[in-house]
């Protein structure tokens, strides 16, 4: 049984890595342009250290009322996400970034941490989904922004698609956890 499960897991991981590699090579060979490089660098840099998401959260807090609560929940969601992503998962998985694995030139400063999961994407989805749980209309727009943030990381060759998918899932799980805990009080 153990050998059968291990074989299946290896085949699934091989399938995922194959899609990841083909996607990264396709982007590098067919989509790159100076214009898109500039746009994607700006989008990606907005997510550095979660600055844009904290700015949105603090703006909500400043508005008071229910918006204050939504902003606080966003900050707690970002904290849970960042802790799990950067202190547990990245150092445990240690996935090499695609630009390093494939010797590709990137147009941003080389990230120093590991690739899996995408921290930019996880933060974006933690903030966006948290707002969505508080205010579906405003949160929907932020979820679209989070998806664009995730794509920018793949486009810039610093994350594989699966890193971004896992980051989105981690962000949403973190926000869901925080919101559930806040309702228990």
């Amino acid at each position: 049984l153990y050998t059968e499960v291990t074989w299946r897991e290896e085949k699934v991981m091989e399938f995922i890595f194959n899609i990841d590699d083909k996607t990264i090579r396709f982007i590098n060979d067919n989509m790159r342009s100076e214009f898109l490089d500039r746009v994607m660098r700006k989008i990606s840099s907005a997510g550095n250290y979660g600055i844009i998401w904290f700015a949105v959260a603090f703006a909500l807090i400043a508005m008071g009322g229910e918006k204050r609560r939504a902003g606080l929940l966003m900050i707690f969601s970002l904290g849970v996400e960042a802790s799990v992503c950067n202190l547990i998962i990245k150092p445990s998985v240690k996935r090499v970034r695609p630009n390093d694995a494939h010797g590709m030139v990137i147009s941003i400063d080389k990230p120093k941490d590991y690739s899996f999961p995408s921290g930019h994407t996880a933060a974006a989805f933690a903030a966006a989904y948290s707002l969505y749980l508080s205010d579906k209309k405003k949160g929907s727009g932020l979820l679209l922004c989070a998806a664009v943030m995730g794509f920018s990381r793949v486009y810039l060759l610093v994350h594989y698609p699966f890193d971004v998918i896992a980051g989105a899932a981690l962000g949403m799980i973190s926000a869901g956890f925080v919101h559930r805990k806040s309702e228990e009080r």
Side-chain angles (χ1 to χ4, degrees):
L1 180 67
Y2 176 75
T3 306
E4 186 177 320
V5 170
T6 303
W7 180 83
R8 283 189 202 144
E9 289 171 351
E10 286 175 10
K11 289 297 179 189
V12 168
M13 292 309 294
E14 184 180 311
F15 176 75
I16 290 169
F17 290 158
N18 189 25
I19 289 173
D20 275 350
D21 286 342
K22 285 182 179 183
T23 303
I24 288 296
R25 289 180 192 281
F26 177 83
I27 288 170
N28 191 54
D29 295 343
N30 299 295
M31 293 180 70
R32 303 288 302 272
S33 72
E34 286 184 35
F35 172 74
L36 277 178
D37 283 356
R38 279 193 307 274
V39 170
M40 294 300 170
R41 278 194 306 264
K42 286 188 186 299
I43 291 167
S44 183
S45 68
N48 290 350
Y49 309 106
I51 291 171
I52 189 76
W53 313 117
F54 281 109
V56 170
F58 286 124
L60 290 169
I61 291 168
M63 291 178 194
E66 275 301 306
K67 291 180 177 156
R68 179 179 185 277
R69 183 177 189 282
L72 288 170
L73 289 170
M74 284 176 70
I75 289 173
F76 286 120
S77 296
L78 286 162
V80 169
E81 166 277 316
S83 298
V84 173
C85 181
N86 297 314
L87 300 177
I88 299 171
I89 301 175
K90 280 186 185 248
S92 297
V93 174
K94 298 181 181 177
R95 188 175 193 191
V96 176
R97 291 186 181 268
N99 56 292
D100 290 331
H102 298 289
M104 297 171 170
V105 176
I106 58 174
S107 61
I108 61 172
D109 291 339
K110 185 177 176 182
K112 293 173 179 52
D113 61 350
Y114 293 107
S115 183
F116 181 88
S118 168
H120 275 70
T121 307
F125 275 90
Y129 192 59
S130 180
L131 183 58
Y132 178 83
L133 292 172
S134 296
D135 181 337
K136 302 232 183 305
K137 186 175 181 182
K138 289 185 176 94
S140 295
L142 215 55
L143 283 168
L144 179 60
C145 293
V148 172
M149 175 67 69
F151 178 75
S152 78
R153 302 301 286 170
V154 175
Y155 176 88
L156 292 168
L157 307 173
V158 293
H159 283 291
Y160 292 101
F162 190 65
D163 300 342
V164 167
I165 292 166
L170 173 59
M172 292 174 76
I173 290 167
S174 298
F177 172 78
V178 167
H179 278 258
R180 272 191 308 281
K181 288 296 179 185
S182 76
E183 291 167 2
E184 290 176 5
R185 303 186 102 222

